[in-house]
């Protein structure tokens, strides 16, 4: 069986050796030595000024909306994971979708201004599959209309754009360290911001709003990463360069195989150092996708319709149409991609697709 993804598991003895440090302190959460160690190692690995690790990658989106005091309308993309939209609705704001760029698959920045009204407070966009949005154009628009910018950078571990971490763009960026993501802590995530004061606010909000033991700064929630999660991150991190290398080899094989075929692959934005996080391909139409997906399944090869459906189809969003996002969602399929995917299995995936298109 070949799954679409496979969680990288570090050697168990290495994980246990790290856990031993938590055992010695008897301290399981509330920002113990392991969370602090992980944050410090991630800061230097990612080359970011500030990071706050969290218990998953969804709460930081919700907390960012709260901490930026966003109200009313938030402009967002219909082509992302459900958490991007659900976070907006959960925080009592209204998602206003803008269609996507047909090749980069990120929000189409040229269509943003047309939907800005006096009720708009922010733009929440996703760097889909680790492919950066047009961050300069979005930043210009935000300045012009006094909007905040949050990037759902769940897929972006290690991605750089124009020579710096993609997490440095926007007022806040968030990442996910879920077990299916490139770098993981089982469940986990993080916030990134360049602002010292906003970082403090995010920090307080992710810890109930505590200001010391007895005072509170605004409303908070519990989004703290535990020591057990941090231990997994510390055990995985030493392997991250190997993981990236392995994925890169697979991606290069796929790229070579699908070049000059009917299968379209992701167009990366220029000046991007990518992280090989997903391998989405675009079929001609949904019928072709369904046919090939099922043939792959008959061969015990499991792919994923990621992202499907387009988020404007969710039961709690309005029913306006977004033809590009809906069209892309209907014919995009993510192929198996993980560290340790064997050469012969990559070739099996390729052979089946090539012979069926
Ligand atoms: C995975 C993901 C999330 C949510 O992250 P969790 O860690 O699972 O909560 C949010 N946005 C996108 C685009 C994702 O892929």
């Amino acid at each position: 069986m070949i799954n679409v993804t496979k969680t990288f598991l570090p050697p168990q003895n290495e994980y246990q050796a790290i856990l031993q440090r938590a055992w010695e302190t008897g301290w399981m959460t509330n920002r113990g030595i392991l969370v602090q160690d992980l944050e410090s190692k991630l800061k230097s690995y990612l080359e970011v000024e500030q990071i706050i690790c969290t218990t998953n990658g969804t709460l930081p989106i919700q907390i960012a909306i709260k901490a930026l005091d966003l109200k009313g309308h938030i402009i967002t993309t219909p082509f992302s994971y459900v958490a991007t939209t659900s976070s907006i609705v959960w925080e009592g704001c209204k998602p206003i979708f803008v269609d996507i760029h047909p090749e980069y698959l990120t929000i189409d920045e040229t269509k943003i201004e047309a939907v800005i009204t006096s009720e708009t407070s922010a733009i929440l966009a996703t760097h889909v599959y680790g492919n950066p949005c047009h961050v300069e154009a979005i930043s210009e628009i935000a300045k012009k209309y006094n909007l905040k910018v949050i990037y759902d950078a769940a897929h972006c571990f290690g991605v750089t754009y124009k020579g710096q971490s993609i997490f440095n763009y926007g007022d806040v960026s968030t990442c996910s360290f879920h077990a299916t993501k490139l770098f993981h802590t089982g469940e986990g995530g993080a916030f990134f911001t360049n602002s010292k004061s906003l970082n403090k606010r995010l920090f307080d909000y992710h810890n109930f709003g505590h200001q010391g033991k007895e005072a509170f700064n605004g409303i908070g929630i519990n989004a703290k990463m535990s020591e057990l999660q941090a231990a997994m991150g510390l055990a995985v991190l030493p392997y991250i360069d190997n993981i990236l290398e392995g994925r890169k080899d697979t991606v290069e094989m796929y790229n070579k195989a699908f070049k000059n075929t009917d299968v379209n692959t992701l167009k990366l934005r220029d000046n991007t150092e990518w992280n090989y996080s997903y391998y989405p391909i675009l079929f001609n139409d949904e019928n072709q996708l369904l046919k090939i997906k099922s043939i792959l399944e008959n061969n015990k090869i499991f792919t994923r319709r990621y992202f499907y459906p387009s988020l404007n189809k969710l039961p709690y969003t309005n029913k306006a149409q977004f033809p590009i996002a809906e069209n892309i969602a209907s014919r995009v399929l993510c192929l198996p991609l993980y560290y340790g995917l064997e050469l012969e299995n990559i070739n099996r995936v390729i052979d089946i697709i090539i012979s069926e298109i």
Side-chain angles (χ1 to χ4, degrees):
M1 187 178 86
I2 310 173
N3 249 324
V4 66
T5 188
K6 186 169 168 185
T7 300
F8 174 82
L9 292 177
Q12 216 173 356
N13 62 332
E14 294 177 18
Y15 180 56
Q16 278 165 352
I18 296 167
L19 279 181
Q20 183 60 30
R21 293 166 54 198
W23 252 247
E24 280 157 17
T25 62
W27 191 343
M28 290 293 116
T29 187
N30 286 356
R31 302 187 49 80
I33 50 169
L34 298 186
V35 165
Q36 291 180 41
D37 191 13
L38 180 63
E39 286 179 351
S40 126
K41 292 195 162 87
L42 289 177
K43 244 191 259 181
S44 75
Y45 181 81
L46 298 168
E47 297 182 9
V48 292
E49 290 283 315
Q50 307 183 110
I51 178 175
I52 302 168
C53 285
T54 54
T55 195
N56 61 46
T58 303
L59 279 165
I61 307 175
Q62 294 180 195
I63 294 170
I65 293 172
K66 190 84 92 196
L68 288 166
D69 205 17
L70 303 182
K71 300 274 184 315
H73 296 179
I74 298 181
I75 293 171
T76 190
T77 173
F79 191 68
S80 183
Y81 183 59
V82 64
T84 317
T85 302
S86 66
S87 296
I88 295 172
V89 178
W90 192 272
E91 292 304 325
C93 297
K94 183 171 176 185
I96 302 294
F97 293 113
V98 164
D99 215 342
I100 58 171
H101 188 283
E103 288 177 297
Y104 297 120
L105 310 184
T106 48
I107 194 166
D108 185 343
E109 64 283 350
T110 66
K111 295 182 178 158
I112 291 177
E113 282 195 78
V115 301
I116 294 175
T117 68
S118 58
E119 294 196 73
T120 310
S121 59
I123 300 166
L124 168 45
T126 302
H127 302 305
V128 187
Y129 309 122
N131 197 20
C133 297
H134 195 319
V135 289
E136 292 91 354
I138 291 173
S139 161
E140 281 300 307
I141 296 167
K143 252 191 231 133
K144 182 167 166 195
Y145 294 93
N146 197 21
L147 306 177
K148 300 293 184 191
V149 178
I150 301 171
Y151 286 114
D152 179 344
H155 300 169
C156 294
F157 191 90
V159 171
T160 67
Y161 176 68
K162 297 201 168 158
Q164 62 167 312
S165 172
I166 191 67
F167 298 137
N168 284 337
Y169 294 87
D171 292 286
V172 182
S173 288
T174 64
C175 192
S176 166
F177 303 156
H178 185 261
T180 57
K181 302 296 205 275
L182 177 70
F183 167 79
H184 81 96
T185 56
E187 291 272 2
F191 301 106
F192 303 86
T193 176
N194 296 325
S195 154
K196 286 253 178 328
S197 58
L198 183 55
N199 197 61
K200 175 163 187 334
R201 216 165 143 97
L202 294 169
F203 185 93
D204 291 346
Y205 279 38
H206 103 299
N207 182 30
F208 301 103
H210 268 294
Q211 290 277 285
K213 286 209 171 85
E214 291 165 7
F216 294 90
N217 171 23
I219 188 165
I221 197 166
N222 180 6
K224 295 186 302 293
M225 176 178 275
S226 78
E227 292 292 276
L228 305 179
Q229 293 171 291
M232 179 59 88
L234 287 165
V236 171
L237 193 57
Y239 294 92
I240 195 72
D241 289 334
N242 292 343
I243 294 172
L244 284 165
E245 269 306 307
R247 285 170 164 269
K248 180 174 182 217
D249 292 346
T250 304
V251 163
E252 282 173 355
M253 284 183 67
Y254 281 146
N255 281 345
K256 200 161 145 229
F258 298 128
K259 212 173 155 184
N260 306 322
T261 69
D262 258 7
V263 170
N264 282 309
T265 57
L266 183 64
K267 181 178 160 90
L268 287 174
R269 201 172 290 282
D270 283 348
N271 302 307
T272 302
E273 285 262 7
W274 192 44
N275 63 358
Y276 315 96
S277 48
Y278 296 89
Y279 201 86
I281 59 173
L282 290 166
F283 290 107
N284 293 328
D285 56 37
E286 188 166 22
N287 285 339
Q288 191 184 39
L289 175 144
L290 292 173
K291 185 189 90 173
I292 295 179
K293 180 171 186 279
S294 118
I295 295 170
L296 289 165
E297 274 167 26
N298 293 339
N299 285 275
K300 300 215 165 1
I301 297 169
F302 298 94
T303 55
R304 182 159 175 213
R305 299 189 71 182
Y306 197 61
F307 306 100
Y308 177 86
S310 185
L311 296 172
N312 55 302
K313 300 284 184 187
L314 288 170
Y316 49 83
T317 56
N318 63 35
K319 296 293 168 276
Q321 296 192 335
F322 298 90
I324 300 171
E326 288 170 35
N327 174 269
I328 297 288
S330 75
R331 60 194 179 91
V332 68
L333 192 69
C334 282
L335 299 187
L337 176 58
Y338 52 85
Y339 175 78
L341 181 57
E342 301 82 355
L343 203 66
E344 72 263 27
N345 284 333
I346 303 168
N347 281 322
R348 278 181 61 213
V349 175
I350 290 171
D351 291 346
I352 292 172
I353 294 173
I354 296 282
S355 67
E356 297 297 335
I357 50 175

